[in-house]
Amino acid sequence: MSGLIARGLCGGYGARRVVGPVDLQLPVGRCTAVLGPNGAGKSTLLRLLVGILRPTAGEVEVLGRELLSLRRREAARLVGFVPQAVTVAFPLTVYEMVMQGRAPHLGPWRPAGPADEAAVEAAIRDLGLAAHRHTPVHTMSGGERQLVLLARALAGEPRLLLMDEPATGLDVRHQLALVDTVRGLVARGVGAAVVLHDWNLARRLADTAVVLDRGLVAAEGPPDEVLTTALVARVFGVTVERVAASEGPVLVPQHASVAASSIGAPKAPGGGPACRSDRAATRPPTPPDAVA
């Protein structure tokens, strides 16, 4: 079952198109890794999929309903979003920040109840943050903050979870814990999409790999089939060797060939396949607080 479907999705910033047109399906009960070089449009694609950015063309459907037709609280209950980083303006503790994830389930005047507290406690426990529940978030390391952001999203109990580089700043032990956490969610029927830079982590984590190249889908399929030496050389500009390992082949970088890659190549406005405007481009976007 496809939890989220994008059809002809295009978007960017001002007159600069960054993504599109993209057709994509994110099934429930499956994990999709979104890969690509810097500037390929990975973060922009996630912001379009959760409604933070207004698409210039195309549409996003969530569990059979158009995303931009949903009320923002309803959208936030269905789709959780973990950004790369947030600025913590107030000295919130870990518990207080994770409790923010319950906001879509609470009315304007309804305090948190036993179900909300249980969801927060479970998220804190699952991410190994129990010892830090009273720690001010602004005093924590970047990797620890990333775990707090993930716990906040989990506390909302979404049907779909989109994560923008959640492994950034995590040590190896916490990266493996992240794999276990996401795979556990997927086993319970949650659909996940994860932006990653680590090809081998994507192999361990994802059922499907989607490779973006200058805003377009360059390849899609099982990670071991998609991440070939030829594709990595063409899209990432890196020569790799596939080394046999107990859990499948591991990609070992050998050297970079920047001239042969698309890294840093500018995306000209209107370049690439045409993005056909439709009614999705004229409708207001879901505000960021609906998904953050």
Side-chain angles (χ1 to χ4, degrees), residues 19-63:
V19 169
V22 166
D23 294 321
L24 187 66
Q25 294 192 33
L26 303 178
V28 296
R30 304 278 288 179
C31 179
T32 300
V34 181
L35 306 164
N38 292 339
K42 302 181 297 297
S43 295
T44 301
L45 175 61
L46 254 62
R47 292 173 184 148
L48 289 166
L49 293 177
V50 299
I52 292 175
L53 285 181
R54 179 200 299 263
T56 55
E59 63 179 3
V60 177
E61 184 180 288
V62 177
L63 298 172

Side-chain angles (χ1 to χ4, degrees), residues 137-190:
V137 176
H138 73 277
T139 67
M140 304 176 78
S141 70
E144 290 171 330
R145 292 189 201 185
Q146 200 65 26
L147 293 176
V148 175
L149 294 178
L150 180 54
R152 182 178 68 170
L154 295 185
E157 300 176 306
R159 296 286 307 280
L160 296 155
L161 182 61
L162 277 61
M163 295 162 277
D164 194 357
E165 299 189 34
T168 300
L170 299 185
D171 58 32
V172 174
R173 180 171 68 87
H174 283 102
Q175 287 186 17
L176 295 177
L178 172 68
V179 171
D180 291 340
T181 298
V182 174
R183 295 307 309 179
L185 290 171
V186 169
R188 299 202 298 267
V190 174

Side-chain angles (χ1 to χ4, degrees), residues 83-95:
Q84 288 187 30
V86 296
T87 300
V88 183
F90 302 99
L92 296 175
T93 66
V94 168
Y95 182 88

Side-chain angles (χ1 to χ4, degrees), residues 7-12 17 19-22 48 54-58 273-276:
R7 301 185 183 92
L9 191 64
C10 300
R17 188 210 309 172
V19 169
V22 166
L48 289 166
R54 179 200 299 263
T56 55
C275 285
R276 185 178 63 186

Side-chain angles (χ1 to χ4, degrees), residues 103-116:
H105 299 270
L106 302 174
W109 309 109
R110 185 172 78 80
D116 304 300

